[in-house]
Amino acid sequence: MSESKGYAALIAKAALIPYTFERREPRAHDVIIEIKYCGICHTDIHQARNEWNDYLPESIFPMVPGHEIAGVVTAIGSGVTKYKVGDKVGVGCFVDSCRTCPECRSGLEQYCTVRTVWTYNARDHEGVPTYGGYSDRIVVDENYVLRMPQALPLDACAPLLCAGITLYSPLRHWQAGPGKKVAIVGLGGLGHMGVKLAHALGAEVTVLSQSLKKQADGKRLGADHFYATSDPETFERLKGSFDLIVNTVSAQIDWNQYLALLKVGGTMVLVGLPEKNIPVGAFVLTSARRTLAGSQIGGIRETQEMLDFCGKHGITCDIEVIPIQKINDAFERVLKSDVRYRFVIDMASL
Ligand code: NAP
Ligand code: ZN
Ligand code: ZN
């Protein structure tokens, strides 16, 4: 074991404070990564505040959050073949899975039916708690490590590892592309990547945001249209408009109102994760053969495909870089939707 430094919530809802903990010694297939940057995902807040205790088997404190990890390889185990010292690499929301179930075999490790080992707030196969990227380094099996776009800045690519893939995967699965009308609900960390990616895939993109405050940004990011959901007229005007809606909102909203914006046969995909169950009427689905679906990040293969796609198209996240000492303020600002559009921690500040 060797010592690692980071920031942790010692108990649920506590402010994050400096924390020292142990990481495993590298095994034959492990890569040691010096973490340079880590994005702040809304999920980090949900988990540090234990808002998902209805859905998770347990929450593990002290918790070192962070699953948008970008860094540089500093050492490799004797059996590592994919990476070498000095490589720019990333780690997303999980660091292992069973590797043998049909989902793992087909590259859908995020839906492993045995056990996906999440990057933090989870236990590895030995039962040892995992600790995330608000820290100086991490030890990860090479099969769960990603190669970062070489020509793009590492800080602005860190959030691709969760926000990027969480939008890329449903956009690809439900075939966002030329001739498709796609709406992104919520212009936050996930939403702003949804706009960039759907635009790059060739879809006609509409942003549905609470107000028009972010309209100029939305257009700059690639949106063709922008509407405020606080204006009831929006829901009248856009009824039956979209092939695909990707909903990134984590609060309770009127889900039926949004479903009604789908065309016949359209799909609304939930990626936002509200604390409580969501009420949905049957008629809004049956009357137009609509589908309500969900999607969770993406597998290793698809995450690498997304990173390569971003490298090719020059797509990065819009970020505000902060020192780790500002982490608790950053959490508060995310809760107020006051971030353009992702906070990224500069780990040199640790
Ligand atoms: P975020 O940056 O806070 O963005 C959420 C956006 O939702 C806000 O920017 C805001 O957009 C909108 N919003 C917030 N409160 C709202 C309200 N009361 N009513 C309507 N809209 C509201 O969060 P994020 O990091 O993008 O994450 C969003 C959600 O996705 C979280 O629940 C997170 O846990 C979840 N998540 C899921 C996955 C997955 O795999 N499925 C992966 C990552 C994250 P406007 O200002 O434009 O209205
Ligand atoms: Zn996330
Ligand atoms: Zn599996």
Side-chain angles (χ1 to χ4, degrees), residues 153-169:
L154 199 54
D155 52 358
C157 286
L160 296 176
L161 292 155
C162 175
I165 185 59
T166 299
L167 273 289
Y168 183 82
S169 185

PDB file of all heavy atoms in Angstrom, residues 153-169:
ATOM      1  N   PRO A 153      -6.173  20.235 -25.115  1.00  0.00           N
ATOM      2  CA  PRO A 153      -5.725  20.470 -23.727  1.00  0.00           C
ATOM      3  C   PRO A 153      -6.342  19.450 -22.761  1.00  0.00           C
ATOM      4  O   PRO A 153      -7.538  19.169 -22.830  1.00  0.00           O
ATOM      5  CB  PRO A 153      -6.206  21.888 -23.423  1.00  0.00           C
ATOM      6  CG  PRO A 153      -7.141  22.264 -24.514  1.00  0.00           C
ATOM      7  CD  PRO A 153      -6.900  21.374 -25.683  1.00  0.00           C
ATOM      8  N   LEU A 154      -5.516  18.950 -21.878  1.00  0.00           N
ATOM      9  CA  LEU A 154      -5.935  17.883 -20.964  1.00  0.00           C
ATOM     10  C   LEU A 154      -7.028  18.346 -19.994  1.00  0.00           C
ATOM     11  O   LEU A 154      -7.963  17.595 -19.690  1.00  0.00           O
ATOM     12  CB  LEU A 154      -4.703  17.411 -20.189  1.00  0.00           C
ATOM     13  CG  LEU A 154      -4.736  16.050 -19.513  1.00  0.00           C
ATOM     14  CD1 LEU A 154      -5.101  14.940 -20.483  1.00  0.00           C
ATOM     15  CD2 LEU A 154      -3.386  15.756 -18.846  1.00  0.00           C
ATOM     16  N   ASP A 155      -6.928  19.602 -19.524  1.00  0.00           N
ATOM     17  CA  ASP A 155      -7.934  20.067 -18.547  1.00  0.00           C
ATOM     18  C   ASP A 155      -9.324  20.102 -19.177  1.00  0.00           C
ATOM     19  O   ASP A 155     -10.305  19.643 -18.594  1.00  0.00           O
ATOM     20  CB  ASP A 155      -7.535  21.431 -17.929  1.00  0.00           C
ATOM     21  CG  ASP A 155      -7.200  22.505 -18.948  1.00  0.00           C
ATOM     22  OD1 ASP A 155      -7.225  22.234 -20.173  1.00  0.00           O
ATOM     23  OD2 ASP A 155      -6.906  23.649 -18.511  1.00  0.00           O
ATOM     24  N   ALA A 156      -9.416  20.609 -20.401  1.00  0.00           N
ATOM     25  CA  ALA A 156     -10.727  20.740 -21.051  1.00  0.00           C
ATOM     26  C   ALA A 156     -11.254  19.407 -21.580  1.00  0.00           C
ATOM     27  O   ALA A 156     -12.411  19.315 -22.009  1.00  0.00           O
ATOM     28  CB  ALA A 156     -10.637  21.755 -22.192  1.00  0.00           C
ATOM     29  N   CYS A 157     -10.422  18.384 -21.555  1.00  0.00           N
ATOM     30  CA  CYS A 157     -10.877  17.052 -21.979  1.00  0.00           C
ATOM     31  C   CYS A 157     -11.307  16.188 -20.795  1.00  0.00           C
ATOM     32  O   CYS A 157     -12.012  15.196 -20.983  1.00  0.00           O
ATOM     33  CB  CYS A 157      -9.783  16.329 -22.756  1.00  0.00           C
ATOM     34  SG  CYS A 157      -9.569  16.988 -24.418  1.00  0.00           S
ATOM     35  N   ALA A 158     -10.887  16.558 -19.577  1.00  0.00           N
ATOM     36  CA  ALA A 158     -11.209  15.713 -18.416  1.00  0.00           C
ATOM     37  C   ALA A 158     -12.710  15.406 -18.336  1.00  0.00           C
ATOM     38  O   ALA A 158     -13.106  14.241 -18.181  1.00  0.00           O
ATOM     39  CB  ALA A 158     -10.690  16.358 -17.131  1.00  0.00           C
ATOM     40  N   PRO A 159     -13.594  16.413 -18.483  1.00  0.00           N
ATOM     41  CA  PRO A 159     -15.030  16.117 -18.333  1.00  0.00           C
ATOM     42  C   PRO A 159     -15.615  15.250 -19.456  1.00  0.00           C
ATOM     43  O   PRO A 159     -16.751  14.794 -19.333  1.00  0.00           O
ATOM     44  CB  PRO A 159     -15.681  17.503 -18.319  1.00  0.00           C
ATOM     45  CG  PRO A 159     -14.591  18.446 -17.944  1.00  0.00           C
ATOM     46  CD  PRO A 159     -13.349  17.868 -18.560  1.00  0.00           C
ATOM     47  N   LEU A 160     -14.850  15.018 -20.503  1.00  0.00           N
ATOM     48  CA  LEU A 160     -15.363  14.093 -21.532  1.00  0.00           C
ATOM     49  C   LEU A 160     -15.573  12.716 -20.921  1.00  0.00           C
ATOM     50  O   LEU A 160     -16.418  11.945 -21.370  1.00  0.00           O
ATOM     51  CB  LEU A 160     -14.371  13.982 -22.696  1.00  0.00           C
ATOM     52  CG  LEU A 160     -14.115  15.251 -23.505  1.00  0.00           C
ATOM     53  CD1 LEU A 160     -13.041  14.995 -24.563  1.00  0.00           C
ATOM     54  CD2 LEU A 160     -15.401  15.734 -24.180  1.00  0.00           C
ATOM     55  N   LEU A 161     -14.809  12.402 -19.862  1.00  0.00           N
ATOM     56  CA  LEU A 161     -14.807  11.046 -19.308  1.00  0.00           C
ATOM     57  C   LEU A 161     -16.101  10.685 -18.594  1.00  0.00           C
ATOM     58  O   LEU A 161     -16.380   9.521 -18.375  1.00  0.00           O
ATOM     59  CB  LEU A 161     -13.599  10.875 -18.392  1.00  0.00           C
ATOM     60  CG  LEU A 161     -12.301  10.913 -19.219  1.00  0.00           C
ATOM     61  CD1 LEU A 161     -11.118  11.354 -18.389  1.00  0.00           C
ATOM     62  CD2 LEU A 161     -12.046   9.555 -19.868  1.00  0.00           C
ATOM     63  N   CYS A 162     -16.901  11.708 -18.230  1.00  0.00           N
ATOM     64  CA  CYS A 162     -18.260  11.388 -17.770  1.00  0.00           C
ATOM     65  C   CYS A 162     -19.270  12.185 -18.604  1.00  0.00           C
ATOM     66  O   CYS A 162     -20.075  11.616 -19.325  1.00  0.00           O
ATOM     67  CB  CYS A 162     -18.446  11.655 -16.282  1.00  0.00           C
ATOM     68  SG  CYS A 162     -20.167  11.374 -15.805  1.00  0.00           S
ATOM     69  N   ALA A 163     -19.213  13.517 -18.513  1.00  0.00           N
ATOM     70  CA  ALA A 163     -20.212  14.326 -19.230  1.00  0.00           C
ATOM     71  C   ALA A 163     -20.213  14.004 -20.726  1.00  0.00           C
ATOM     72  O   ALA A 163     -21.275  13.864 -21.343  1.00  0.00           O
ATOM     73  CB  ALA A 163     -19.930  15.814 -19.011  1.00  0.00           C
ATOM     74  N   GLY A 164     -19.036  13.868 -21.312  1.00  0.00           N
ATOM     75  CA  GLY A 164     -18.951  13.603 -22.754  1.00  0.00           C
ATOM     76  C   GLY A 164     -19.566  12.274 -23.125  1.00  0.00           C
ATOM     77  O   GLY A 164     -20.474  12.193 -23.958  1.00  0.00           O
ATOM     78  N   ILE A 165     -19.129  11.214 -22.476  1.00  0.00           N
ATOM     79  CA  ILE A 165     -19.614   9.881 -22.857  1.00  0.00           C
ATOM     80  C   ILE A 165     -21.088   9.691 -22.485  1.00  0.00           C
ATOM     81  O   ILE A 165     -21.825   9.002 -23.199  1.00  0.00           O
ATOM     82  CB  ILE A 165     -18.727   8.756 -22.263  1.00  0.00           C
ATOM     83  CG1 ILE A 165     -19.169   7.380 -22.758  1.00  0.00           C
ATOM     84  CG2 ILE A 165     -18.696   8.785 -20.755  1.00  0.00           C
ATOM     85  CD1 ILE A 165     -19.148   7.168 -24.245  1.00  0.00           C
ATOM     86  N   THR A 166     -21.537  10.325 -21.429  1.00  0.00           N
ATOM     87  CA  THR A 166     -22.942  10.160 -21.014  1.00  0.00           C
ATOM     88  C   THR A 166     -23.898  10.704 -22.069  1.00  0.00           C
ATOM     89  O   THR A 166     -25.031  10.228 -22.208  1.00  0.00           O
ATOM     90  CB  THR A 166     -23.179  10.846 -19.643  1.00  0.00           C
ATOM     91  OG1 THR A 166     -22.330  10.202 -18.695  1.00  0.00           O
ATOM     92  CG2 THR A 166     -24.615  10.725 -19.186  1.00  0.00           C
ATOM     93  N   LEU A 167     -23.453  11.687 -22.829  1.00  0.00           N
ATOM     94  CA  LEU A 167     -24.289  12.210 -23.911  1.00  0.00           C
ATOM     95  C   LEU A 167     -23.990  11.521 -25.231  1.00  0.00           C
ATOM     96  O   LEU A 167     -24.882  11.239 -26.032  1.00  0.00           O
ATOM     97  CB  LEU A 167     -24.106  13.732 -24.018  1.00  0.00           C
ATOM     98  CG  LEU A 167     -25.029  14.562 -23.121  1.00  0.00           C
ATOM     99  CD1 LEU A 167     -26.474  14.491 -23.626  1.00  0.00           C
ATOM    100  CD2 LEU A 167     -25.008  14.139 -21.658  1.00  0.00           C
ATOM    101  N   TYR A 168     -22.734  11.205 -25.461  1.00  0.00           N
ATOM    102  CA  TYR A 168     -22.357  10.563 -26.733  1.00  0.00           C
ATOM    103  C   TYR A 168     -23.075   9.221 -26.891  1.00  0.00           C
ATOM    104  O   TYR A 168     -23.603   8.911 -27.968  1.00  0.00           O
ATOM    105  CB  TYR A 168     -20.842  10.361 -26.757  1.00  0.00           C
ATOM    106  CG  TYR A 168     -20.292   9.780 -28.047  1.00  0.00           C
ATOM    107  CD1 TYR A 168     -20.051  10.590 -29.156  1.00  0.00           C
ATOM    108  CD2 TYR A 168     -19.998   8.415 -28.143  1.00  0.00           C
ATOM    109  CE1 TYR A 168     -19.532  10.055 -30.330  1.00  0.00           C
ATOM    110  CE2 TYR A 168     -19.474   7.880 -29.324  1.00  0.00           C
ATOM    111  CZ  TYR A 168     -19.243   8.703 -30.409  1.00  0.00           C
ATOM    112  OH  TYR A 168     -18.735   8.172 -31.570  1.00  0.00           O
ATOM    113  N   SER A 169     -23.112   8.445 -25.822  1.00  0.00           N
ATOM    114  CA  SER A 169     -23.664   7.092 -25.932  1.00  0.00           C
ATOM    115  C   SER A 169     -25.142   7.087 -26.346  1.00  0.00           C
ATOM    116  O   SER A 169     -25.499   6.417 -27.318  1.00  0.00           O
ATOM    117  CB  SER A 169     -23.437   6.330 -24.620  1.00  0.00           C
ATOM    118  OG  SER A 169     -23.853   4.999 -24.769  1.00  0.00           O
TER     119      SER A 169
END
